[in-house]
Amino acid sequence: MDTYESILLVKNEVFVFKIPPRTTNRGYRAADWNLAEPTWTGRLRIVSVGDACTLKLEDRNNGELFAKCPIEQYPGVALESVSDSSRYFVVRIQDENGRAAFIGLGFGDRSDSFDLNVALQDHFKRIKVCEEIAKEKNEPKQELDLKFKEGETIKINMKITKKDGSEGVANKQAAKPRPTISGVGGLLPPPPGSSSIKTIPAPPSQTSSPSHQSTNPNNWGEFTSANNTSQPGGNSNPNWVQF
């Protein structure tokens, strides 16, 4: 435990005022004091021994103690701000017998009152941090138990995309057979509606002389045309082909 005294703040000029007792629940007002005639003028020191913090009012020349104010928390009843100024406070002082009284305390500059606020806030913040560290040492944090208890289950929703390399037979159409082309000598068949090809019988063997012409109507060799007409004199068309 710390036994030495640490100085948190020193202000060489502060003013002390005698204040009237508070008769209502409203806050203190510095305007109700006789600000032109302070009761006492001296030095302010804020010191700490361990966690204890004390505001001391001392003589500026010889350091004699005028009054002291133990501060257990801030903000608190030991040191209160007034409602009409940031430079004045109400301080609860105590003597050696534990008797308490309230006096007014003021600064000539607002920066001095700001320094007072910062010094007290830092002190109690440090105490809070030290208490939390000590608590963690005495009561270490329990490790998080993530093991499944008996009968406990867990449900996981997963989105799985299947990767199927097989061919989709159902999605494929069977290839249609190509039409077969039929015809003579690889030619295309006749268009629909056309007459079929007539088969012409082969010519019989000729035994007669070349000048002899067969009169058989079935003889192959002479053709007639739809435009054929008999020539005068009984001569056949010279364009006919004879075999």
Side-chain angles (χ1 to χ4, degrees):
M1 183 176 180
D2 297 334
T3 57
Y4 60 90
E5 183 180 82
S6 298
I7 299 176
L8 306 180
L9 180 68
V10 176
K11 294 296 178 181
N12 289 323
E13 185 178 58
V14 295
F15 308 100
V16 173
F17 304 90
K18 184 178 180 180
I19 61 176
R22 183 167 57 179
T23 58
T24 63
N25 291 331
R26 68 182 180 91
Y28 290 99
R29 296 177 70 250
D32 298 335
W33 310 342
N34 188 4
L35 299 180
E37 297 181 4
T39 303
W40 180 85
T41 302
R43 180 180 67 186
L44 176 145
R45 286 197 311 139
I46 298 178
V47 298
S48 66
V49 179
D51 294 341
C53 178
T54 305
L55 183 150
K56 294 183 178 183
L57 299 174
E58 302 171 341
D59 187 274
R60 286 183 295 185
N61 298 320
N62 55 25
E64 183 181 356
L65 180 65
F66 172 76
K68 66 179 180 179
C69 170
I71 303 175
E72 297 177 355
Q73 63 179 6
Y74 183 77
V77 295
L79 186 66
E80 298 181 54
S81 299
V82 298
S83 60
D84 60 344
S85 177
S86 61
R87 294 188 293 121
Y88 296 92
F89 300 86
V90 175
V91 181
R92 187 184 67 177
I93 59 176
Q94 291 182 356
D95 61 10
E96 298 297 333
N97 298 322
R99 292 178 300 181
F102 290 90
I103 61 174
L105 177 69
F107 297 93
D109 197 298
R110 286 187 176 86
S111 62
D112 293 335
S113 61
F114 176 80
D115 293 341
L116 172 67
N117 285 314
V118 172
L120 292 174
Q121 289 174 359
D122 289 346
H123 171 73
F124 288 101
K125 186 183 297 183
R126 180 186 61 83
I127 292 176
K128 186 177 180 180
V129 172
C130 293
E131 290 176 350
E132 292 177 354
I133 294 175
K135 185 177 180 180
E136 290 180 357
K137 289 182 179 179
N138 297 330
E139 298 178 5
K141 293 182 179 180
Q142 296 181 355
E143 296 183 0
L144 185 61
D145 186 7
L146 299 177
K147 291 189 278 187
F148 285 97
K149 299 178 178 59
E150 185 177 357
E152 186 177 7
T153 60
I154 187 171
K155 182 179 180 181
I156 301 176
N157 294 325
M158 299 181 65
K159 183 178 180 182
I160 302 176
T161 302
K162 294 184 179 180
K163 190 175 182 181
D164 190 356
S166 61
E167 294 183 357
V169 179
N171 295 330
K172 287 192 174 183
Q173 296 181 353
K176 295 182 180 180
R178 299 179 64 182
T180 303
I181 300 176
S182 61
V184 179
L187 300 177
L188 294 175
S194 62
S195 60
S196 60
I197 300 178
K198 294 182 180 181
T199 304
I200 302 176
S205 59
Q206 299 180 358
T207 56
S208 60
S209 61
S211 61
H212 177 74
Q213 299 291 335
S214 174
T215 61
N216 189 341
N218 295 325
N219 188 11
W220 185 83
E222 288 186 289
F223 297 90
T224 59
S225 173
N227 297 325
N228 184 29
T229 56
S230 299
Q231 298 292 328
N235 293 331
S236 62
N237 193 331
N239 294 326
W240 298 140
V241 180
Q242 295 183 353
F243 292 91

